[in-house]
Amino acid sequence: MSKSRRLSYEGVAVAVPVTVPYVRYSTHTAHWFIGQALAALVKESGIPKNEIDGLCLSSFSLVPDTAVGVTQHLGLSPRWLDHVPTGGASGVMCLRRAARAVQSGDADVVACVAADTNHVDSFRQTLGAFSNFSRDATYPYGSGGPNSIFAFITANYMRTYGARREDFGRIAVDQRTNALANPNALFKKALTLDEYMAARPISDPIHLFDCVMPCAGAEAFLVMSEEKARDLGLPHVVIRGAIERHNAFAEDPVMVQGGWRMDRGDLYAQAGIQPKDVDFIQTYDDYPVIVMMQFEDLGFCEKGEGPAFVREHGLTYAGSFPNNTSGGQLSVGQAGAAGGFLGMTETIRQLTDQAGQRAVKDAELGLVCGFGMVTYDRCLCTGAVILGRSE
Amino acid sequence: MTMPLMRPKRKNPVLRTQQMNLPPAQRGRVALGITAAAAEGRFELQQCEDCGTVQYPPREACHKCLSARLRWRAQSGEGELCALTTLHHSNDLFFRERLPWRLGLVKLDAGPTLVVHLHGEVGEAPARVRVGARLDRAGQAVLIGFPNEGSPHMADDKMLREMTSDPKFRKVLVTDGKTPVGQALVRALVQAGADIVWVGHAEPWKKTGGLEDITALPQVTLVPLDLTNGRSVSELAGEIGGKVDIVINNAEVHRTFGIGSRRGTDVAKAEMDINYFGLLRLAQEFGPALKGRSADGVTSATAWVNLLSVYALSNFPPHGTFSASKAAAYSLAQCLRAEMRPAGIRVINVFPGPIDDEWNQHMPPPKLAPAGLASAIVKALRDGVEDVYPGDVAQEWLERWRDNPKVLERELAAGG
């Protein structure tokens, strides 16, 4: 692992986690959810809209608009603008970009917003036109969307490392327990392992509770200097380290490891910590197998030990290894690109004492992971950030 | 093992005939290279001319060395199945109506990882498989993982039968039973398991050899059909149009003249009237009926075959007017293909070289035997290809035409 020679993220504060309540379907457009997210940021921070001089946006359903159209739609005049197309990795990646903008002085207050709407037929329409490769080489094959790709990845992982469906079930069941303590979660009923095992098959070995439920909603937060956050009296967290990687391990015939593995040394070196120092993790949970891979690839256990690790740890907010304390996308819902922000807003809440009943006791450090964009046979974008309580 | 397909029960006429929802047909321009090869029965992938990398999905540059010198190269398809899944849910209507549906992830020995439709005889991963390309019901190429050693009934696999136009248990119209080619076709179709073969015969008072022999086959029914007569075509379509699964238009007029060797246009008109207008009349009457039954179970309407000629590609002056009529028919067949594709009916164009019949008496061998042509057509139906150049002469002309059409034009003007 190479020693990090990158500039630290010192002096940057991450604050004001907001969530626009999720709904299964909405007749509004993505612009509505972005507008509501910005309004909440303004209201909760006390920072006037015209003082938000940076905007970093992630959304699928905004097309044909981008962040550019949003400035006029919502009457913003930022001096720094970015549109991050990395989906499930956009939380980490928006934060990295916004933090550098603030450090360099290109912007003072950056609003990072991820929002998507979900109309009744949105999901199907998104799938067919998701990428050139999916149009040419996966959608004509059964049109199962990411389910069939992650079915391959899960089946291969199970065969290679001896994971069983029950192991993935533990992840889903504990996340549901967490979700019951999150008022915004769309799933309100407890899930038992028996119910998980008895669920209907979607694409073997993927069954119903291995899949996220598409919905509409938004997640957002502000990035500014620590000094400004302190002046405004805003509870905030600091960035201890952050990494990203795209199209890692392209030679693996089937995905068995993610880009986190390539950069984790850099991540922990930048933060000056070891994996054991992390108090909780927000994995990207599009499918439980990926959660298990993150445990391995971020150094909590060796490759192939994920199943044993899951059997040995409680993954609820009160467990020995709290994972996805909000309930994650599996139990809160996947509001498009906002799914990539869910772990970020949850971690800010956890480390600024806003997590209520699901607070992880004495938590100082949280690890947030991102994973985004299946263009063909695997997800391409990986990222991770370690957030810590401010001094 | 694939369970052999059983003869389907008679249709309940009260029930609505299921309509076609095509599988996703969108492809980028580069990806259509796979379709172009699959249309002729080949499995080709992009290979980099500079570094040799074989890649998939198709791209605009070599992902290894960034070279733009990419060529489509035939692949053996040998590889290993890394993982498989059975879909129980799909976002697309075509698949939703056909669940469960098996898919595989295959690491080709040549390099890339492929998502494929999986033949039922391929077992659990890991397993050795052979990948091939086929046209799906949308007429676009898809990759299929086949077992290394297939069983005798592997063509009856539910997924594969969706990709092909196998005559087994299907009802076929052969538009002209009086020619040696027509009679060879009828025999080949009966042998391939066709349920009914309707055989057209114009001018029934003219007795020709061989017709009695095929009429004796229990699957065969002679039907009056004169492609020069709109009413005749219309009447037959009214009678059997709603039952035909495969139309094979082999009716043709072939005279051996160029321009200067004959006066007037009567013979050229007769050629056009059958070879071009005959196809047009037939397509107008039988096309809509075929389109309406393209999703009608395992013996749905499935294909339309045109007997063209390799002379359709480039005029062969000693058979000049015939060549012209076949070029016109070829152009119309492309239009027919475009119009039939949205319904999932495959249009197969067959481009034989000289057939061993009386109108090619003066042509030196090799000539294509009628039985050889017939078996090439049945093979095309079974393999689901859409362009066929049967025989050595057609293959050679095709190669020359692809290499340089202008050079071929000069060579043909000089006699071949």
Side-chain angles (χ1 to χ4, degrees), chain A residues 126-193:
Chain A
T126 305
L127 287 181
F130 196 75
S131 69
N132 279 298
F133 284 176
S134 64
R135 177 198 59 208
D136 293 342
T138 58
Y139 197 63
Y141 297 81
S143 310
N147 288 333
S148 45
I149 298 302
F150 285 91
F152 291 140
I153 293 171
T154 304
N156 181 66
Y157 185 92
M158 290 171 82
R159 181 165 58 81
T160 308
Y161 299 115
R164 300 173 313 204
R165 277 195 62 217
E166 289 87 339
D167 302 323
F168 301 123
R170 286 167 193 277
I171 293 169
V173 166
D174 281 359
Q175 286 194 200
R176 182 61 60 87
T177 302
N178 292 342
L180 298 180
N182 177 4
N184 187 50
L186 288 182
F187 291 86
K188 305 290 188 193
K189 270 168 53 185
L191 176 70
T192 67
L193 192 58

Side-chain angles (χ1 to χ4, degrees), chain A residues 123-124 127 133 135-145 148 151-152 155-156 159 201-204 251 253-254 376-377, chain B residues 24 26-28 31 56 58 64 82-83 85-92 95 103-104 107 113-115 117 125-126 142-143:
Chain A
F123 187 66
R124 190 184 64 84
L127 287 181
F133 284 176
R135 177 198 59 208
D136 293 342
T138 58
Y139 197 63
Y141 297 81
S143 310
S148 45
F152 291 140
N156 181 66
R159 181 165 58 81
I202 301 295
S203 182
D204 299 317
E251 299 302 318
V254 191
Y376 173 49
D377 62 341
Chain B
Q26 289 291 317
R27 299 289 191 282
Y56 182 84
K64 269 279 185 304
C82 301
T85 185
T86 302
L87 279 183
H88 299 274
H89 169 273
S90 175
N91 297 287
D92 179 84
F95 294 107
L103 301 172
K107 165 87 168 74
T113 295
L114 319 175
V115 175
H117 296 302
V142 288
L143 306 181

Side-chain angles (χ1 to χ4, degrees), chain B residues 22-73:
Chain B
L22 287 184
Q26 289 291 317
R27 299 289 191 282
R29 186 163 199 279
V30 178
L32 286 176
I34 298 181
T35 293
E40 293 175 19
R42 297 188 307 277
F43 170 37
E44 293 183 352
L45 292 180
Q46 282 181 321
Q47 185 165 15
C48 176
E49 295 279 277
D50 289 327
C51 77
T53 299
V54 175
Q55 65 181 7
Y56 182 84
R59 295 160 161 92
E60 293 283 9
C62 171
H63 76 275
K64 269 279 185 304
C65 74
L66 301 180
S67 167
R69 302 203 314 133
L70 302 169
R71 284 287 167 83
W72 292 99
R73 295 280 184 221

Side-chain angles (χ1 to χ4, degrees), chain A residues 271-292:
Chain A
I273 65 159
Q274 299 292 320
K276 65 176 168 47
D277 300 324
V278 170
D279 296 303
F280 61 85
I281 182 169
Q282 314 289 351
T283 51
Y284 190 81
D285 59 332
D286 49 355
Y287 296 88
V289 68
I290 298 303
V291 173
M292 207 173 269

